[in-house]
């Protein structure tokens, strides 16, 4: 049994990972500043796990808070989720994104080094592939960011690679997520975006529940079977299990790695809309509008390396993703603080 620090612990992906880590027998220390999440998540984790969460409210850029945390708990490994993640906002507020995403990573690695902790799992993203040249996308494909958010992920990967090369005790698992969706099967935790959702499924969910009138579909003239963009959606619980497997690999074997976490299967916007209508029994009216700059036709993973290295494969299909999202959305129509 190991003790794992989760930064960004009350966020969407981390909260699901927290539950999977506890279920796998690990202890968890969570850290978050609630800049994009609610303290109610802690109550839900207590309810679902039957354990009182160990939690520190602090910013991951706060060196003193990190020093106090690593002094108070014997941490075996860190999963670093804390970051800002809105692509559009990152183009308008690049300094804020670099300060939080790169500043946070540097502060965290510095504190870990000072306390002799060298195992690190990093939330990266398929966005590092920019415009993919071949599909499915393998980890050795060319990388290139198209916005400041993507740059922070690429830079984060570079920092971790350089650290592992320089310091024998340092090992990192870089996880490139495709499109996380869905929610915990209980309907008690899920994605709760503040303001207008940036991602498709939470937007569709809010239309289905009546919070927004219609969905805007950005373009129907892409080079895909129905003309709408194709993405690799991955159930957040499968993604959470991927983190447990990555940590267990780092704790048991020397060496760093980079893996895609995706299903290997792409669905179009309209396929997702229809699956959501089936799952919810509600109509999701939509309008086709202009393409969004920067969007690609199709993007899906080759998940072979994660299977070979971590023994991990995504198990939940599109219907389960929509059903679990809908359970969360319909039980919590206004999110955690509603
Ligand atoms: N959701 C996606 O589509 C997606 C895809 C690829 C990668 N990622 C990455 O996965 C990670 C988690 O994403 P998510 O979707 O769960 O986002 P999220 O916003 O729900 O979670 C991030 C959490 O980090 C916290 N946080 C942000 N800055 C902080 C700071 N300085 N100090 C302490 N806490 C801070 C927020 O309050 C939030 O709880 C992020 O690094 C994100 O970039 C997400």
């Amino acid at each position: 049994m190991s003790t794992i620090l989760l930064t960004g612990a009350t966020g969407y992906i981390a909260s699901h990972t927290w539950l999977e880590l506890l279920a796998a027998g690990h202890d968890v220390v969570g850290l978050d500043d609630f800049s994009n999440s609610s303290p109610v998540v802690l109550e839900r984790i207590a309810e679902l796990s039957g354990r009182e969460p160990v939690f520190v409210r602090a910013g991951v850029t706060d060196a003193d808070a990190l020093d106090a945390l690593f002094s108070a708990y014997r941490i075996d490994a860190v999963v670093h989720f804390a970051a800002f993640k809105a692509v559009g906002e990152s183009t308008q507020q690049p300094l804020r994104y670099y300060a939080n995403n790169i500043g946070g990573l540097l502060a965290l690695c510095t504190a870990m080094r000072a306390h002799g902790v060298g195992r690190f799992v990093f939330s990266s993203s398929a966005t590092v592939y920019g415009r993919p040249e071949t599909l499915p996308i393998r980890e050795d494909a060319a990388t290139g960011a198209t916005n400041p958010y993507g740059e922070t992920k690429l830079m984060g990967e570079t920092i971790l690679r350089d650290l592992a090369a320089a310091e024998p005790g340092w090992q990192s698992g870089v996880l490139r997520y495709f499109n996380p969706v869905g929610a915990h099967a209980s309907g008690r935790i899920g994605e709760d975006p503040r303001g207008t959702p940036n991602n498709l499924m939470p937007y569709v969910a809010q239309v289905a529940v009546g919070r927004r009138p219609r969905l805007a579909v950005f373009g129907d003239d892409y080079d895909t079977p129905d003309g709408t963009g194709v993405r690799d959606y991955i159930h957040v619980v499968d993604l959470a299990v991927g983190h447990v497997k990555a940590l267990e690999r780092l704790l048991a074997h020397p060496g760093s790695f980079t893996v895609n976490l995706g299903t290997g299967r792409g669905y179009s916007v309209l396929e997702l809309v229809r699956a959501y209508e089936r799952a919810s029994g509600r109509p999701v009216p939509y309008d086709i509008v202009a393409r969004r700059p920067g969007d690609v036709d199709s993007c899906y993973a080759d998940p072979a390396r994660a299977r070979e290295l971590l023994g991990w494969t995504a198990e939940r299909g599109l219907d389960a993703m929509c059903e679990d999202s809908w359970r969360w959305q319909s039980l919590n129509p206004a999110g955690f603080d509603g």
Side-chain angles (χ1 to χ4, degrees), residues 177-200:
Y177 314 155
F178 279 66
N179 294 68
V181 296
H184 193 262
S186 64
R188 298 295 283 163
I189 57 170
E191 186 169 10
D192 181 19
R194 297 192 169 167
T196 308
N198 289 302
N199 294 336
L200 177 62

Side-chain angles (χ1 to χ4, degrees), residues 8 11-13 32-33 35-37 60 81 85 100 149 153:
Y12 171 47
I13 304 169
D32 205 295
D33 64 359
S35 53
N36 197 38
S37 55
V60 76
F81 293 99
K85 63 168 182 176
N100 198 46
Y149 167 71
K153 292 298 172 189

Side-chain angles (χ1 to χ4, degrees), residues 157-325:
E157 291 195 7
T158 305
I159 291 166
L160 295 174
R161 194 188 57 219
D162 291 347
L163 252 176
E167 312 226 352
W170 192 274
Q171 286 165 241
S172 51
V174 169
L175 307 183
R176 293 177 175 163
Y177 314 155
F178 279 66
N179 294 68
V181 296
H184 193 262
S186 64
R188 298 295 283 163
I189 57 170
E191 186 169 10
D192 181 19
R194 297 192 169 167
T196 308
N198 289 302
N199 294 336
L200 177 62
M201 193 177 283
Y203 206 109
V204 169
Q206 292 191 4
V207 173
V209 86
R211 244 170 97 175
R212 294 180 191 275
R214 298 174 77 80
L215 171 72
V217 175
F218 299 110
D220 66 349
D221 56 352
Y222 284 104
D223 184 15
T224 61
D226 66 19
T228 63
V230 166
R231 297 290 179 274
D232 185 340
Y233 297 98
I234 172 169
H235 195 296
V236 66
V237 174
D238 280 330
L239 190 61
V241 172
H243 288 76
V244 177
K245 301 271 188 189
L247 276 165
E248 290 177 348
R249 165 95 201 174
L250 281 180
L251 292 163
H253 297 273
S256 296
F257 54 85
T258 298
V259 296
N260 288 335
L261 293 182
T263 65
R265 160 105 214 241
Y267 288 99
S268 74
V269 175
L270 295 184
E271 282 177 305
L272 184 141
V273 166
R274 282 187 214 103
Y276 212 94
E277 289 184 325
R278 280 198 303 278
S280 63
R282 302 277 186 98
V284 178
Y286 64 84
D287 301 305
I288 306 288
V289 301
R291 287 181 177 208
R292 229 171 15 178
D295 276 353
V296 297
D297 302 79
S298 297
C299 176
Y300 49 92
D302 180 339
R305 191 188 281 179
R307 187 173 61 238
E308 284 152 21
L309 199 74
L310 309 180
W312 173 91
T313 346
E315 290 176 354
R316 294 160 181 83
L318 184 63
D319 288 336
M321 299 179 205
C322 294
E323 284 157 16
D324 290 339
S325 162

